[in-house]
Amino acid sequence: MRAHPRRLGASLAAALTLTLAWPGTESFVQPARADSAPQTTVTEAADALTLSVPATPTSLGYTVEVPTDGALALTTERAGTPVLTTAGGDTGALRFRSGGAWQHATDVTDWSWKDGVLTLTADSTLDGATVEARVTPAADRYQLDWNVAGTEPDRLGLAYDLASAGHWYGHGEAETPQGGPGTDQPWPLDSGEVEHPSFGPASYHMIDPFWYTASSAGLRVDTDHVMDVAINEGKDGLGRFDVESADPYKATVFVESTPLEVYRDYVGIVGKPKKSDATYEQYAKPVWNSWAQFYTNIDQQKLLDYATDLKDNGLDGHALQLDDKWESNYGNLTFDSKAYPDPKGMSKKIHDLGFDFGLWTTLWINLDSDNYKFAVDKGYLLKDAADTAKPCTVTWWNGTAGIIDLANPDAKAWYVGRIKTLMSDYDIDGLKFDTRFFDDKCAPRDGYKPTDYQRLGTELADEFDLQGVGIRVHWDSTAHQAGFVTRQVDKGTGWDSVRASVSQNLAISTIGYPFVTTDMIGGSGGQPAPEKDVLIRSAQVASLMPLMYSSTSPVDTNDVTTGQKVVYDQETIDLYRAAIKRHERLAPYIWDQVQQTLKTGDPIVRPLFFDFPKDKAGYTVSDEWMLGPAVLAAPQVADKATRTVHLPPGTWYDVNQGTVIRGPKDLKGYGAPLGVTPAFVNLKAPGADKALRALRSDDAPAASVLLAPDAPETGNGQAFEITTTATNWGLQPLKRVTAALAAPDGWRAKATTAATAASLAAGATLTTKWTVAPPVDARWGSHTLTGTVTYNGGTKVSDRVPVTVKPEPGTVSAPYLTADTTGGDAQFAQAGDQFAIWADGQDLSGWKDEKAAVYESGVVGEMATVRARLVSQDSVSPAGKAGIAVANDLTAPEKGGYAVLVMTEKYGLEFMTDSDGDGKLDTWAGGGQTYHPAHLKLVRDGTTYTAYASKDGTTWSTVGSATVASASGTGDAGVVASAVNLNYPGERIQAVFDDFTVTAS
């Protein structure tokens, strides 16, 4: 029988709340970036507990709400807004599997708050089984541990409502029904479906149990066991994170200000790279690997012909690697003498062509290998988990094998000795490890855990030059800190794989592996040879990644599915070579980012929202990325000649067109023919100068001009300063350089420093200061300034910025009058047909009529139309109101004929009238969304008023119609505003209007 839920403080629940405070969270086991949360409180209400962590100078604070009347759940909020909510219904928040059936926690039956830990006890859907959960808060995160009593579950899990946190990211290489990770990688994760049942430390996939969200929440599951992860499986909107163990479930929930801060919190736990295993040259030039070019149809002569073709066509690289099918048998660690009659001579020829020579290797020893029996007899192989008296055998893509047990010092020494002898005998410079270090079918050596084998594999690989292709180790802190290059899982050769290579690098780099490279350019998954456009676009993508990993030759290749030779044309060679050269020019900037990552742990390849968290559009962009702080990469990843490019806020230089663009902006239909790789440089970011010089197209102008500030503001007749900065991005000096500034008619613009230069050296700038002033009667709103620079006898470049002329309090001119019933010293201004009002006012409604107005007296006849355009309004109160009004006498609404049509700050339109002539507004119509500018219209037909609104002044919608029996004779009309600040004392509204007219109907 389940115990009845304890009604916590039931006798006083209706009248009292219980608050328990605790001064700190020293028992929290994970290091917090911020100080432990001071004065954390737990408050009990009638139906819920609320754990409150206050803000600190370095964290925003948060609350965790737990219902006590209903199933156990956790709702995490920041500033009153949910950022992460557990699942409800039959799924349940805290779930466990027992006897093959899923159960979950239900009613909270008891709780305590002691020593900084909130302990919750709950019933479950399984009779006799209870759940105990412990929440341990810190300033920017909390630890959630829980276990089950009364039964022996084989799985424990957490489940979340995905939508509660916005979009989800992280995970690493995701298994999906659509072919992931080889041909699919949803970004965000919830935009697709993730079904990853063998998510664990022994997986070949690059994965970590870490997820983060658009709401700046995050989840880390602390486990050494295999997980079953499902995100939006079957489009169910849920995230399920199940651990295949009965051990207590341990998780950390992060609550931060931005997704980047969540990432930094995670890296603070697992560690940042201590070094980069790749050298500068390995970042600068591609490595060429034989796999996708030949697969296993490879021999000595083919490899040498391949290397010679690359050299002859100017396809540079730092190393050439011989991949699979060089051994006499897998695990023998000897060359196949038939296919490779002279390995040492082959190595010398490769070196003579200017390449280092590398070799593929693995820890698998096939059962038919010459070394298998020897390794078994010596105890060098991992043991079977079901019977540790036998060696563990596993199936991999080249047969059935045992795995060398790296926890056995003798086994490791034997393997390393064989490898080093091989390398010495044949002048082999480096290795490509392509292997698992452990398998879930195997038993770890006594004293070791499965996750230890990630560390052991890391230590092994670190003894060798990995030639810029790194090694696939994960999950363990050692893997994070080793600084290996991370290459993706094998990709296909179609467009879907090109797109997946982008989103997958975003996923891998933002779970703590910052030195990423795509899979082999063009794909390597055993599919037909890539088409020309796929190969070129893949190379362009890779040119804007930290490293380039090449295989398929743009000269010719072999189609593994048909055995036929595929010959590419000269354009393929030329554009592939251009991608290599682009990447090599960019290498100094990339190397700077490597050094920065070693200092901070921040990823080099990252989503737009890491750098621009307030730009909501960036959270769903899956085919662009930031390469460090200065480069936005947007290469074409579809079979099209145009694309849409999203630019976040900032000042961006288009490296192909040589123009300056201010974001946020969507460039629709951006031209991206096969020879164009769209990329943009954030001119105000660190490293912009290096990036721009590396990426600027030869066809782009040698110079640029930049106006600053980006969006100046001024008042009527008020002078301000602006600068034009001309920069020579070319390699040669510019001659006869002249800066100019064009302002609207009637404006004054005068240079106060030099605007010309006889010569401008490469990399030099000419900065000119200008004093600019609008006329005293300039229209409020946006105006354009255009800066130009001409050089070399006529070449011209330009930049534009908007200048906002803002209204300032002044006076209005006849025939216009002002009125103020707010008691708050309203202010007014006029510029031609434009009017501005600054006003207080508790409300503009029936209970309180406080407003300021600019109006005309005696202009509204019995058949009349009153119109105005509400250009903008700004109030702290979401109910702030601005619009038009009519009355027999606007200074005395009690004289009748009173009606107003206003737009509220957040709640849309309101049409109110005085139906009985007492001066109080007592009818209402309206609603909808707020928009600006808003065209407003009141039509009087005797005693009938009809209100209309329009977004463009052409197409009108009826807001409402009402009879105002007290309307008589000729009345007043004007524009009005009220701050509606009852709940925001002292706050004002500013409203700007134009096109105010009154006409006879």
Side-chain angles (χ1 to χ4, degrees):
M1 293 290 291
R2 295 184 214 156
H4 190 277
R6 174 184 167 194
R7 293 302 176 215
L8 311 166
S11 62
L12 298 178
L16 299 176
T17 61
L18 175 64
T19 301
L20 300 176
W22 177 68
T25 54
E26 285 80 1
S27 64
F28 184 55
V29 298
Q30 299 291 2
R33 182 205 65 197
D35 293 336
S36 296
Q39 293 301 314
T40 300
T41 61
V42 175
T43 303
E44 179 192 359
D47 58 358
L49 297 171
T50 301
L51 183 151
S52 300
V53 177
T56 73
T58 56
S59 61
L60 296 178
Y62 61 91
T63 62
V64 181
E65 184 175 288
V66 181
T68 53
D69 187 10
L72 174 59
L74 294 95
T75 298
T76 306
E77 296 187 355
R78 183 183 57 240
T81 301
V83 295
L84 187 63
T85 302
T86 52
D90 292 338
T91 301
L94 277 60
R95 311 155 18 93
F96 60 94
R97 194 174 73 176
S98 180
W102 279 100
Q103 313 289 341
H104 62 84
T106 56
D107 297 340
V108 174
T109 57
D110 199 3
W111 69 275
S112 67
W113 172 240
K114 183 179 180 181
D115 295 333
V117 179
L118 174 62
T119 302
L120 304 162
T121 303
D123 273 341
S124 78
T125 51
L126 179 65
D127 283 344
T130 60
V131 170
E132 182 179 279
R134 295 160 296 281
V135 179
T136 308
D140 54 10
R141 70 197 74 179
Y142 60 88
Q143 185 166 321
L144 173 62
D145 300 342
W146 64 279
N147 58 276
V148 179
T151 187
E152 280 294 327
D154 61 353
R155 292 190 179 191
L156 274 67
L158 274 175
Y160 287 98
D161 172 15
L162 296 175
S164 69
H167 296 298
W168 287 67
Y169 312 89
H171 188 97
E173 294 174 337
E175 292 186 2
T176 75
Q178 290 73 36
T183 58
D184 177 52
Q185 177 77 32
W187 183 273
L189 291 167
D190 52 284
S191 67
E193 301 173 74
V194 176
E195 300 176 12
H196 210 140
S198 298
F199 187 88
S203 173
Y204 184 73
H205 296 146
M206 285 298 302
I207 51 178
D208 262 25
F210 169 61
W211 299 265
Y212 61 96
T213 74
S215 69
S216 303
L219 173 68
R220 181 205 181 212
V221 179
D222 183 7
T223 182
D224 294 334
H225 298 289
V226 175
M227 297 180 65
D228 184 349
V229 176
I231 297 174
N232 203 28
E233 181 180 15
K235 301 292 184 180
D236 62 4
L238 298 176
R240 293 189 294 275
F241 307 92
D242 303 331
V243 177
E244 296 181 6
S245 170
D247 293 347
Y249 196 107
K250 297 181 178 181
T252 302
V253 175
F254 304 98
V255 189
E256 273 291 3
S257 56
T258 68
L260 175 58
E261 291 301 325
V262 177
Y263 168 87
R264 287 172 173 169
D265 288 348
Y266 177 65
V267 169
I269 295 173
V270 298
K272 60 183 175 65
K274 295 180 179 178
K275 61 178 178 57
S276 169
D277 85 300
T279 65
Y280 176 86
E281 187 182 24
Q282 291 167 357
Y283 280 98
K285 297 180 180 181
V287 56
W288 291 91
N289 181 286
S290 67
W291 175 248
Q293 179 73 3
F294 300 104
Y295 292 95
T296 57
N297 186 23
I298 178 71
D299 60 32
Q300 178 172 315
Q301 191 57 51
K302 288 178 180 177
L303 185 69
L304 291 174
D305 290 345
Y306 173 57
T308 302
D309 273 353
L310 296 175
K311 184 70 174 180
D312 289 348
N313 285 277
L315 297 164
D316 204 1
H318 66 82
L320 187 140
Q321 292 181 330
L322 174 57
D323 206 282
D324 194 355
K325 208 56 181 174
W326 60 269
E327 285 182 275
S328 53
N329 207 339
Y330 295 108
N332 281 2
L333 297 177
T334 56
F335 276 96
D336 180 344
S337 60
K338 292 183 179 179
Y340 303 91
D342 183 11
K344 186 152 187 159
M346 176 180 67
S347 175
K348 181 179 184 305
K349 289 181 180 179
I350 290 171
H351 283 107
D352 288 345
L353 289 169
F355 298 102
D356 282 351
F357 182 40
L359 209 59
W360 172 92
T361 190
T362 177
L363 293 188
W364 284 300
I365 300 181
N366 275 13
L367 271 58
D368 54 358
S369 165
D370 295 342
N371 284 326
Y372 182 76
K373 185 176 185 303
F374 172 81
V376 170
D377 291 345
K378 290 288 188 177
Y380 289 170
L381 303 181
L382 285 167
K383 304 300 184 184
D384 189 277
D387 183 357
T388 55
K390 299 190 305 182
C392 177
T393 57
V394 298
T395 300
W396 65 299
W397 56 85
N398 281 325
T400 303
I403 303 176
I404 295 169
D405 185 354
L406 293 179
N408 181 337
D410 294 336
K412 179 183 176 182
W414 171 76
Y415 177 77
V416 170
R418 291 294 303 271
I419 286 289
K420 289 187 174 180
T421 298
L422 182 73
M423 296 177 72
S424 175
D425 288 347
Y426 300 110
D427 295 329
I428 297 165
D429 303 292
L431 300 175
K432 172 190 171 182
F433 282 96
D434 196 6
T435 190
R436 284 189 179 187
F437 300 107
F438 188 77
D439 191 283
D440 293 326
K441 292 178 62 178
C442 305
R445 189 173 176 86
D446 288 347
Y448 291 83
K449 305 186 298 295
T451 48
D452 290 328
Y453 283 82
Q454 296 290 336
R455 173 180 57 80
L456 294 167
T458 297
E459 293 169 353
L460 168 69
D462 214 19
E463 296 185 35
F464 301 93
D465 179 1
L466 303 182
Q467 299 187 311
V469 299
I471 191 169
R472 293 171 59 82
V473 289
H474 58 95
W475 207 281
D476 182 82
S477 288
T478 306
H480 287 275
Q481 297 171 30
F484 291 128
V485 171
T486 301
R487 64 181 187 269
Q488 294 179 6
V489 72
D490 291 4
K491 293 289 176 294
T493 58
W495 288 107
D496 52 358
S497 291
V498 179
R499 289 186 287 273
S501 71
V502 171
S503 52
Q504 203 161 94
N505 264 3
L506 288 170
I508 294 170
S509 65
T510 59
I511 60 170
Y513 304 99
F515 306 133
V516 290
T517 182
T518 64
D519 181 37
M520 296 171 188
I521 293 168
S524 65
Q527 296 179 355
E531 296 177 355
K532 167 185 174 177
D533 288 14
V534 169
L535 183 60
I536 292 170
R537 294 301 195 188
S538 295
Q540 292 171 348
V541 167
S543 73
L544 296 173
M545 294 291 182
L547 302 100
M548 293 186 75
Y549 185 23
S550 297
S551 181
T552 300
S553 170
V555 180
D556 56 55
T557 191
N558 301 277
D559 190 324
V560 68
T561 63
T562 65
Q564 300 299 308
K565 187 174 185 178
V566 176
V567 178
Y568 296 108
D569 63 9
Q570 188 62 43
E571 184 183 40
T572 308
I573 299 171
D574 293 343
L575 292 180
Y576 199 117
R577 186 193 307 114
I580 292 173
K581 296 300 183 184
R582 179 187 307 111
H583 185 79
E584 190 169 355
R585 292 193 305 271
L586 195 57
Y589 170 80
I590 292 173
W591 188 247
D592 287 348
Q593 307 318 308
V594 172
Q595 305 313 306
Q596 186 66 16
T597 293
L598 295 177
K599 293 177 184 177
T600 67
D602 288 353
I604 300 172
V605 172
R606 57 220 197 199
L608 305 188
F609 58 81
F610 265 35
D611 291 78
F612 306 96
K614 294 182 180 179
D615 182 39
K616 298 305 179 186
Y619 284 79
T620 54
V621 175
S622 61
D623 57 358
E624 301 175 27
W625 64 95
M626 295 301 300
L627 182 70
V631 176
L632 186 150
Q636 179 61 281
V637 294
D639 191 14
K640 297 178 181 178
T642 63
R643 61 157 298 163
T644 295
V645 175
H646 175 71
L647 296 179
T651 305
W652 301 93
Y653 181 87
D654 182 337
V655 301
N656 292 293
Q657 300 182 14
T659 56
V660 175
I661 305 166
R662 285 175 172 79
K665 190 170 186 178
D666 288 332
L667 306 180
K668 297 182 179 180
Y670 184 91
L674 193 56
V676 172
T677 305
F680 302 81
V681 175
N682 183 354
L683 290 176
K684 297 184 179 181
D689 53 344
K690 281 187 181 179
L692 197 151
R693 288 192 177 86
L695 296 174
R696 186 180 67 85
S697 167
D698 291 340
D699 296 330
S704 69
V705 59
L706 180 66
L707 286 166
D710 291 345
E713 296 180 345
T714 190
N716 293 83
Q718 294 185 2
F720 62 97
E721 186 175 88
I722 196 164
T723 62
T724 55
T725 300
T727 304
N728 179 7
W729 300 109
L731 300 177
Q732 301 299 322
L734 302 179
K735 304 297 184 182
R736 302 182 301 283
V737 180
T738 301
L741 183 67
D745 290 343
W747 289 51
R748 291 181 290 108
K750 181 179 179 181
T752 58
T753 61
T756 62
S759 178
L760 195 63
T765 60
L766 170 64
T767 298
T768 305
K769 293 182 179 180
W770 305 79
T771 298
V772 181
V776 293
D777 60 349
R779 286 187 65 82
W780 304 325
S782 183
H783 303 261
T784 300
L785 291 180
T786 303
T788 60
V789 168
T790 56
Y791 60 94
N792 292 352
T795 304
K796 180 185 288 188
V797 291
S798 62
D799 185 25
R800 294 176 176 82
V801 295
V803 180
T804 301
V805 178
K806 300 179 68 176
E808 295 187 346
T811 61
V812 301
S813 303
Y816 300 103
L817 304 170
T818 62
D820 178 17
T821 61
T822 68
D825 297 325
Q827 295 173 297
F828 308 90
Q830 179 184 358
D833 70 340
Q834 296 178 295
F835 300 95
I837 299 174
W838 295 263
D840 291 319
Q842 290 190 341
D843 203 352
L844 173 54
S845 65
W847 82 277
K848 183 81 71 170
D849 193 322
E850 294 184 348
K851 63 183 180 295
V854 177
Y855 70 100
E856 285 189 275
S857 178
V859 291
V860 181
E862 292 192 359
M863 304 290 288
T865 298
V866 179
R867 286 183 57 171
R869 187 174 74 139
L870 174 61
V871 178
S872 64
Q873 66 189 99
D874 183 16
S875 66
V876 173
S877 167
K881 301 175 184 180
I884 56 178
V886 297
N888 293 344
D889 182 347
L890 269 177
T891 65
E894 66 275 10
K895 293 182 179 180
Y898 187 30
V900 297
L901 172 62
V902 294
M903 182 70 77
T904 63
E905 183 76 20
K906 298 289 186 184
Y907 304 137
L909 291 157
E910 291 189 1
F911 171 48
M912 297 172 285
T913 68
D914 171 15
S915 65
D916 56 11
D918 64 355
K920 295 181 179 180
L921 298 168
D922 53 23
T923 72
W924 186 94
Q929 294 184 336
T930 294
Y931 56 87
H932 297 97
H935 296 262
L936 306 176
K937 180 167 65 175
L938 279 174
V939 177
R940 178 184 174 188
D941 183 356
T943 59
T944 300
Y945 288 99
T946 305
Y948 302 89
S950 171
K951 293 181 178 180
D952 59 10
T954 301
T955 304
W956 295 86
S957 299
T958 302
V959 182
S961 186
T963 297
V964 183
S966 58
S968 63
T970 303
D972 300 346
V975 293
V976 297
S978 174
V980 191
N981 63 5
L982 177 66
N983 295 320
Y984 304 87
E987 297 292 345
R988 308 185 92 197
I989 187 173
Q990 176 185 304
V992 177
F993 308 85
D994 63 14
D995 295 339
F996 172 70
T997 61
V998 181
T999 58
S1001 299

